[in-house]
Structure formats: structure tokens, C-alpha cells
């Protein structure tokens, strides 16, 4: 299974990528996670990316393309992968096609999770992570226990989320037609319980649910 998941910030694509990764036994490759790790570790790359990330801007194409190229070299990616948050631009999509061609493989599908903007805004601004367990909560729909040690992602604050959503709209305006032309694009409704969304995803991929 070689899949790209496309979805706005807080659309649930990270959650769905985890579920699919487990189901198909292939790694989830998230450029956002890799960049956050690099930033936390304080590497040169992390320091370079930090300013862009905190402002909700895209990290330059060559940086993320290099990260994905290296990650695809790992043995666990030989069977397939779920790409989460990459590609985000047509230039990245073209670079990805080149990286896959070099390895003699192709994408199976590109799935877009569709969620309207108002709900995305609410999901992101009320999203909190427990620093100790990594568990993700929502202050309204999935409240954390009283003893959780909560973190609010710097880029989940209202002004930054608005900038990230604007940028997502601009990005998909070019990226989705690119994949539609290739016959790879599937759009699914991303509103509902995570399990419901997983069912729709598997149906869109022509997989048996369950
Ligand atoms: P995410 O967790 O996917 O929302 O990514 C968090 C941040 O990392 C984004 O707002 C960008 O600054 C950066 N980032 C992640 N993936 C990419 C990408 N494919 N291209 C450029 N920047 C990215």
C-alpha cells in the first residue's frame, strides 16, 4: 500500500494515518512529525525549519523532499507507506514521483479528508496533547483527565491555525487537480467518529471493512 493522505490541519489525517499504518503494516511517514522531532533535538535542520513552522509557513521544498528521500531508504518503507502531510505542493508531488520512479514503484491512491473550515478551527484551537503520554485530547469533545500535563501546539493557536488553513486552501487548489488528472484522487467526508472515517477510507480504497 503506497498512499498519500491529504487533509487540512486538524482534519484527522494523523489519526487515520496511524490506523492505516497498523492495518497495512507499513510505516506512516509524516513530514510534520519528522520536522517537530528535528526541532526538539535542535539539529541544524530543526533550527532551519523552526521559524517557518512557528509562523505556520511551509518549510522549503528541498528540505522536506530530502527528508522523505532519506526516510524511503529505510527498510520498513520497502513494502509501502502512508504519507501524511507530504506532498503539499505540486513541486513536492513531482519530486515524489521521481523518488518512487527511481525505486520502481508507484502510488496506489491519494485520499483527501474533507472537513469544513469552522470545524477545523475548533478542532485545532481546542486540541491538547498530554506531554507525558502523547495522548491527544479535545477540550470539548474528548476532555483530558484532571491530572494530564497538557501542551498546546504553538501552531495550533488561533492566528496560526487561520494562516495554516489559508495555506492549505492555496495548496490544495493546485495539488488536488494534479492528482485528479492522474486518476489517483479519492475524496472522503472527514466529519464523524474516527472509526466511521476509517470505514469510508477503506471503502474508498476498495478494501474490505473490518
Ligand atoms: P503538520 O503536522 O503536517 O501540520 O506540519 C507542521 C508544519 O511542518 C507545517 O505547518 C509546515 O511548517 C511544516 N511542514 C510539514 N510538512 C511539510 C511539507 N510537506 N512541506 C512544507 N512544510 C511542511
Amino acid at each position: 500500500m503506497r498512499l498519500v493522505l491529504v487533509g487540512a490541519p486538524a482534519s484527522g489525517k494523523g489519526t487515520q494515518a496511524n490506523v492505516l499504518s497498523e492495518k497495512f503494516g507499513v510505516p506512516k511517514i509524516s513530514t510534520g512529525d519528522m520536522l517537530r522531532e528535528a526541532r526538539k533535538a535542535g539539529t541544524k535542520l530543526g533550527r532551519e525549519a523552526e521559524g517557518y513552522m512557528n509562523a505556520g509557513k511551509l518549510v522549503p521544498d528541498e528540505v522536506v523532499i530530502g527528508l522523505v528521500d532519506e526516510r524511503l531508504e529505510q527498510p520498513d518503507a520497502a513494502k509501502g507507506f502512508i504519507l501524511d502531510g507530504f506532498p503539499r505542493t505540486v513541486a513536492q508531488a513531482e519530486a515524489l514521483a521521481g523518488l518512487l520512479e527511481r525505486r520502481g514503484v508507484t502510488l496506489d491512491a491519494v485520499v483527501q479528508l474533507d472537513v469544513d473550515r469552522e470545524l477545523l478551527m475548533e478542532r485545532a484551537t481546542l486540541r491538547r496533547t498530554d506531554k507525558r503520554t502523547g495522548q491527544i485530547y479535545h477540550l470539548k469533545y474528548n476532555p483530558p483527565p484532571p491530572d494530564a500535563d497538557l501542551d498546546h501546539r504553538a501552531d495550533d493557536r488561533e492566528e496560526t491555525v487561520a494562516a495554516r488553513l489559508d495555506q492549505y486552501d492555496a495548496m490544495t487548489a493546485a495539488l488536488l487537480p494534479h492528482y485528479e488528472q492522474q486518476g489517483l484522487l479519492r475524496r472522503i467526508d472527514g466529519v464523524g467518529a474516527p472509526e466511521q472515517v476509517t470505514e469510508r477510507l477503506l471503502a474508498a480504497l476498495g478494501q474490505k471493512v473490518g
Side-chain angles (χ1 to χ4, degrees):
M1 177 57 65
R2 293 186 181 82
L3 196 68
V4 171
L5 276 185
V6 180
S11 62
K13 79 179 149 51
T15 303
Q16 296 302 328
N18 285 339
V19 172
L20 294 181
S21 156
E22 193 149 311
K23 183 168 173 69
F24 295 116
V26 296
K28 162 180 128 165
I29 300 184
S30 156
T31 42
D33 285 350
M34 289 193 278
L35 290 167
R36 273 185 290 278
E37 273 161 32
R39 182 173 63 179
K40 201 164 140 202
T43 60
K44 182 166 170 279
L45 183 131
R47 290 197 305 273
E48 202 181 313
E50 185 164 20
Y52 296 101
M53 296 173 76
N54 292 348
K57 290 191 179 147
L58 286 187
V59 171
D61 284 342
E62 60 277 14
V63 175
V64 284
I65 291 165
L67 269 179
V68 172
D69 192 9
E70 265 176 43
R71 184 62 186 85
L72 289 176
E73 277 307 301
Q74 302 294 316
D76 64 342
K79 286 194 297 180
F81 50 75
I82 314 290
L83 273 169
D84 164 6
F86 179 94
R88 267 170 149 101
T89 63
V90 172
Q92 291 178 15
E94 283 167 351
L96 174 64
L99 295 180
L100 296 180
E101 198 182 337
R102 248 172 45 211
R103 292 164 171 90
V105 296
T106 52
L107 283 179
D108 294 308
V110 176
V111 182
Q112 185 211 0
L113 294 184
D114 206 11
V115 180
D116 77 40
R117 188 175 172 114
E118 214 168 296
L119 187 58
L120 290 169
M121 199 75 185
E122 191 195 66
R123 279 194 191 169
T125 53
L126 297 182
R127 174 161 68 176
R128 297 291 184 277
T129 312
D130 188 328
K131 282 185 218 160
R132 287 169 308 200
T133 61
Q135 180 69 43
I136 298 171
Y137 296 100
H138 184 283
L139 295 181
K140 190 160 144 194
Y141 299 122
N142 179 20
D147 63 340
D149 183 10
L150 295 181
D151 183 38
H152 189 193
R153 265 174 60 173
D155 61 356
D156 270 351
R157 296 181 202 267
E158 197 163 339
E159 320 74 59
T160 315
V161 175
R164 290 166 70 206
L165 290 177
D166 287 345
Q167 190 201 73
Y168 174 77
D169 289 342
M171 158 197 120
T172 48
L175 190 66
L176 298 181
H178 175 83
Y179 280 127
E180 196 153 34
Q181 272 166 21
Q182 298 181 12
L184 286 172
L185 186 66
R186 319 264 183 281
R187 290 173 203 260
I188 64 155
D189 180 5
V191 181
E195 300 74 27
Q196 250 179 326
V197 177
T198 303
E199 277 182 27
R200 289 180 204 139
L201 242 163
L202 294 175
L205 294 173
Q207 298 279 331
K208 254 196 14 223
V209 177

